[in-house]
């Protein structure tokens, strides 16, 4: 139920450690970036600090650097930008950041989205089609013009991307004056969930504003914040406002974790076989399960039966409707150069066998607004999330370059 920090070509391969950073000259940074891509892989200590190598294995370094070289070819030019550097290769480009210590060794290194010079929608879609499992991709311009539709009407498991519908429900209720962003919610153990998030570790009874809860729900996909919001506004409000029958009864994150826990096979089987009314009754028993006793599955568990199910077209619609919401703009998702865009909004979701990335993007003010949603499901196997992130990033690059 969380979106992992899987950014494929947007890979953080070391922590930036301010205490160890040396104010190196720009030319030294540029030369070191060239050195990274001409490194013969013989001795990592020639380039990287011991502190860096404590965080990242030499094997991982080689894999990351080789993946860029294989995809992009020879590094030809490095250009300084406001946010770091642009690496211009034979076949494309990528943003980068680098930090050196007093010995001119690398203590921080980051590479962002790949942009391929000759990329097209057709090339990207052909690669999406090769991904095992079920795949859905939608791009919609200005909330109405479908620019790309591959299984776009197919409802699929989307993980925490469902939280966009919780947010939309909150905006609807605030807009009608029924609730306020300043409303105070007291944290309680009944709505405690498991990470992602931070609120599961806060003391019961802590007062939190509704706005804080929505910010945490979207920006870091806080599951405990989400369940408190659902409880505060009521499941019925969300179901009646926006949801189809396939998402009724609407599930809290804690309910999904409890149902899928290896400790509760009988209740999960009963829930799967039950109709909607019976499921509502069963959830009363689910609520009594101790969240601290939940066992989180490491492989796909009934993702086609117990989840939140939306099509990529539906997710494009809801994030477009929320394009002005503060919450979706905190975490830029797969956009590595947020400063280059007027609007960047994001929510994603993942669990074993499920990955979703949903963005809303506007390059310049008063220009077209694009919604992009990608979902992959595999009922039996883990998904190559790096590959999905890479392809989604390439779609974003096409929009940024005005090729869609």
């Amino acid at each position: 139920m969380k979106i992992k920090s899987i950014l494929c070509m947007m890979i953080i391969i070391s922590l930036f450690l301010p205490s160890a950073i040396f104010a190196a000259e720009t030319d030294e940074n540029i030369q070191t970036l060239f050195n990274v891509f001409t490194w013969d892989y013989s001795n990592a200590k020639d380039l990287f600090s011991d502190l860096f190598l404590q965080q990242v294995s030499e094997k991982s370094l080689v894999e990351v650097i080789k993946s860029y070289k294989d995809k992009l070819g020879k590094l030809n030019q490095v250009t300084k930008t406001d946010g770091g550097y642009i690496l211009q290769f034979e076949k494309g480009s990528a943003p980068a950041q680098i930090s050196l210590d007093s010995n001119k060794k690398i203590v921080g290194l980051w590479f962002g989205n790949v942009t391929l010079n000759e990329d097209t929608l057709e090339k990207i879609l052909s690669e999406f089609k090769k991904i095992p499992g079920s795949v859905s991709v939608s791009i919609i311009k200005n909330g109405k013009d479908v620019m790309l539709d591959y299984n776009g009407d197919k409802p699929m498991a989307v993980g925490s991307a469902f939280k966009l519908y919780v947010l939309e429900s909150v905006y609807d209720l605030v807009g009608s004056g029924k609730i306020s962003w300043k409303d105070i919610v007291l944290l309680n153990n009944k709505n405690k969930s498991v990470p992602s998030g931070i609120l599961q570790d806060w003391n019961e009874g802590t007062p939190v504003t509704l706005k804080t809860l929505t910010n945490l729900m979207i920006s870091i996909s806080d599951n405990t914040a989400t369940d408190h919001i659902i409880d505060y506004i009521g499941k019925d409000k969300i179901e009646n406002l926006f949801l189809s029958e396939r998402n009724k009864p609407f599930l809290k994150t804690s309910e999904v974790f409890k149902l899928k826990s290896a400790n509760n096979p009988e209740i999960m089987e009963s829930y799967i076989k039950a109709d909607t009314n019976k499921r509502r009754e069963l959830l009363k028993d689910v609520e009594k399960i101790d969240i601290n006793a939940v066992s989180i599955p490491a492989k796909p568990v009934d993702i086609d039966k117990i989840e939140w199910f939306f099509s990529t077209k539906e997710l494009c619609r809801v994030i477009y409707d929320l394009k002005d919401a503060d919450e979706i703009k905190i975490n830029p998702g797969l956009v590595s150069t947020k400063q280059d865009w007027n609007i960047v909004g994001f929510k994603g979701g993942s669990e074993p066998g499920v990955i979703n990335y949903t963005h809303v993007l506007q390059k310049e003010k008063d220009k077209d607004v694009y919604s992009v949603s990608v979902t992959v499901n595999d009922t039996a196997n883990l998904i190559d999330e790096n590959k999905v992130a890479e392809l989604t990033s390439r779609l974003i690059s096409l929009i940024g370059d005005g090729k869609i």
Side-chain angles (χ1 to χ4, degrees), residues 307-324:
E307 244 278 355
W308 301 273
F309 302 98
F310 296 97
S311 70
T312 51
K313 280 186 178 178
E314 288 172 325
L315 291 173
C316 281
R317 180 203 65 78
V318 68
I319 201 166
Y320 178 81
D321 289 347
L322 290 166
K323 63 183 179 296
D324 296 321

Side-chain angles (χ1 to χ4, degrees), residues 36-95:
V36 167
F37 286 95
T38 55
W39 176 37
D40 62 6
Y41 310 134
S42 60
N43 185 7
K45 290 187 176 182
D46 290 343
L47 287 174
F48 301 92
S49 70
D50 290 341
L51 188 60
F52 186 103
L53 294 173
Q54 290 171 13
Q55 305 291 325
V56 184
S57 70
E58 189 167 338
K59 180 182 177 182
S60 296
L61 283 173
V62 171
E63 288 176 351
V64 170
I65 295 166
K66 190 175 185 299
S67 71
Y68 276 79
K69 292 168 70 173
D70 289 347
K71 185 170 292 294
L72 296 171
K74 179 184 176 183
L75 178 60
N76 291 328
Q77 184 176 349
V78 178
T79 304
K80 183 81 171 69
T81 69
D82 290 340
Y85 300 88
I86 293 294
L87 309 179
Q88 190 64 53
F89 298 83
E90 289 177 304
K91 301 176 184 178
S93 62

Side-chain angles (χ1 to χ4, degrees), residues 166-280:
V166 179
L167 183 64
E168 187 172 34
S169 300
V170 173
Y171 269 89
D172 184 87
L173 293 169
V174 169
S176 64
K178 296 177 181 177
I179 58 176
S180 166
W181 294 116
K182 296 180 181 179
D183 288 353
I184 300 295
V185 178
L186 301 182
L187 298 186
N188 59 78
N189 288 335
K190 181 185 73 170
N191 290 312
K192 181 180 178 180
S193 190
V194 297
S196 54
I198 58 174
L199 290 189
Q200 72 277 354
D201 298 322
W202 290 22
N203 290 335
E204 187 173 26
T206 299
V208 185
T209 66
L210 181 61
K211 189 65 173 179
T212 297
L213 290 174
T214 57
N215 281 338
L216 291 173
M217 174 179 68
I218 301 300
S219 65
I220 62 171
S221 208
D222 194 302
N223 291 322
T224 296
T226 304
D227 287 2
H228 277 81
I229 296 169
I230 294 171
D231 187 63
Y232 183 71
I233 65 178
K235 287 186 177 184
D236 59 321
K237 297 290 194 306
I238 304 171
E239 290 183 355
N240 294 336
L241 282 170
F242 303 110
L243 300 186
S244 61
E245 290 300 317
R246 65 178 178 268
N247 286 302
K248 297 178 183 179
F250 189 63
L251 294 170
K252 295 180 181 178
T253 67
S254 58
E255 290 169 338
V256 171
F257 283 120
K258 290 174 182 179
L259 283 167
K260 293 193 177 189
S261 173
N263 303 331
N264 306 308
E266 297 86 2
I267 195 167
M268 181 177 74
E269 190 63 29
S270 298
Y271 186 87
I272 289 172
K273 293 178 179 179
D275 61 20
T276 301
N277 290 331
K278 179 62 175 175
R279 287 184 173 189
R280 294 188 193 278

Side-chain angles (χ1 to χ4, degrees), residues 73-131:
K74 179 184 176 183
L75 178 60
N76 291 328
Q77 184 176 349
V78 178
T79 304
K80 183 81 171 69
T81 69
D82 290 340
Y85 300 88
I86 293 294
L87 309 179
Q88 190 64 53
F89 298 83
E90 289 177 304
K91 301 176 184 178
S93 62
Q97 295 175 11
I98 187 170
S99 297
L100 307 180
D101 65 12
S102 57
N103 296 315
K104 313 299 171 60
K105 297 292 182 69
I106 297 169
V107 292
L109 184 63
W110 173 89
F111 302 131
N113 296 341
V114 164
T115 298
L116 298 179
N117 295 337
E118 304 300 327
D119 222 357
T120 65
L121 278 179
E122 292 74 18
K123 289 180 180 178
I124 299 170
L125 184 56
S126 69
E127 293 189 48
F128 268 120
K129 291 178 179 179
K130 297 175 185 176
I131 294 175

